[in-house]
Amino acid sequence: MSYVFAPPAVVAVPVVGGGEFPVHRIYCVGRNYADHAVEMGYSGREPPFFFLKPADAIVAVAAGETGAIDYPTLTRNLHHEIELVVAIGKGGRHIAAADAPDHIFGYAVGLDMTRRDLQNEMKKQGRPWCIGKAFEQSAPIGPVLPIAGGGERVRGGIRLEVNGQTRQQGDLAELIWNVNETIEQLSAAWTLQPGDLIYTGTPAGVAAVVPGDLMVGSIDGLGSLRVAVRPAAV
Ligand code: MN
């Protein structure tokens, strides 16, 4: 094969215990905690809905390190959304919720960074969210902990601090659509592949960060994710 330019490098996330998880697609679930749905102006249990980010939105942060993102272009309202991320190790279609754990490689702490002003404008106009959600460096993530190491994640605190102040706090047990149900619904719409990541939604408290801020997200049993916000790249 003779490529006309160098193909992009494989995007990968470190795995606790060794190795790298190669990323295929990034799926994200919208409004999956009741208190966050309410803060975004919705109520009740609606069917889950999904959007995607490109794999190269990943900013992988190794254990014990502090990652960084550049403040993105076009926005004046860059929001943090702390989320449990599910890493798929075995693909499939029409996966029943009861079988979902067989398809999970592991879990990580992630941030679904959002240009909220652009997303809101697109919502108003009934247009796609890509510009608000799917930009570069919009998906920081910590190391993947294999399910074999800690079992299924069905409860446990999830929180985000910015500059030492708590912004978001919840529990995985509050997910409207739990991980296994999410995999069932997602795999009815797309054929899941090894390497897919699923950002499962965020609890209430989403708010803006500015250059110079330090975000520290954590989920019980999965450690923490530290990401600094740098000034806009020139
Ligand atoms: Mn989100």
Side-chain angles (χ1 to χ4, degrees):
M1 179 85 63
S2 157
Y3 295 112
V4 295
F5 51 84
V10 172
V11 174
V13 181
V15 174
V16 176
E20 299 269 328
F21 180 90
V23 179
H24 175 244
R25 290 182 180 168
I26 304 172
Y27 295 99
C28 303
V29 187
R31 298 194 289 262
N32 204 16
Y33 287 80
D35 56 356
H36 173 61
V38 168
E39 79 178 347
M40 299 308 283
Y42 299 84
S43 63
R45 194 191 206 213
E46 56 184 348
F49 67 93
F50 306 100
F51 56 91
L52 287 100
K53 292 179 186 254
D56 66 358
I58 288 289
V59 176
V61 182
E65 295 192 352
T66 300
I69 58 171
D70 299 308
Y71 196 87
T73 58
L74 299 183
T75 186
R76 290 180 163 187
N77 197 18
L78 177 67
H79 272 202
H80 52 71
E81 297 190 356
I82 187 70
E83 311 202 356
L84 170 70
V85 182
V86 179
I88 296 296
K90 180 181 149 199
R93 299 160 79 171
H94 297 296
I95 299 165
D99 299 329
D102 295 341
H103 295 261
I104 298 172
F105 174 82
Y107 304 91
V109 181
L111 280 162
D112 165 14
M113 300 305 296
T114 303
R115 294 192 282 206
R116 190 73 71 199
D117 42 359
L118 301 184
Q119 183 201 25
N120 286 344
E121 188 56 33
M122 292 301 113
K123 278 186 191 174
K124 222 182 291 172
Q125 298 184 30
R127 290 178 177 174
W129 289 8
C130 309
I131 200 168
K133 287 289 195 180
F135 52 97
E136 53 263 39
Q137 301 185 343
S138 63
I141 188 170
V144 175
L145 178 70
I147 190 170
E152 277 186 71
R153 299 283 151 185
V154 293
R155 62 184 64 78
I158 175 170
R159 67 196 69 77
L160 180 79
E161 291 180 0
V162 177
N163 305 331
Q165 302 294 310
T166 300
R167 291 270 187 95
Q168 295 189 260
Q169 199 157 23
D171 195 287
L172 301 179
E174 297 160 3
L175 280 166
I176 295 172
W177 297 90
N178 67 34
V179 167
N180 295 346
E181 292 168 332
T182 296
I183 289 172
E184 178 172 303
Q185 299 265 351
L186 192 57
S187 67
W190 289 274
T191 303
L192 292 183
Q193 302 282 354
D196 286 338
L197 295 174
I198 307 168
Y199 281 61
T200 57
T202 197
V206 298
V209 286
V210 296
D213 283 349
L214 176 66
M215 303 180 283
V216 181
S218 60
I219 296 174
D220 292 348
L222 293 180
S224 59
L225 167 65
R226 295 167 59 87
V227 181
V229 183
R230 289 188 293 229
V234 184

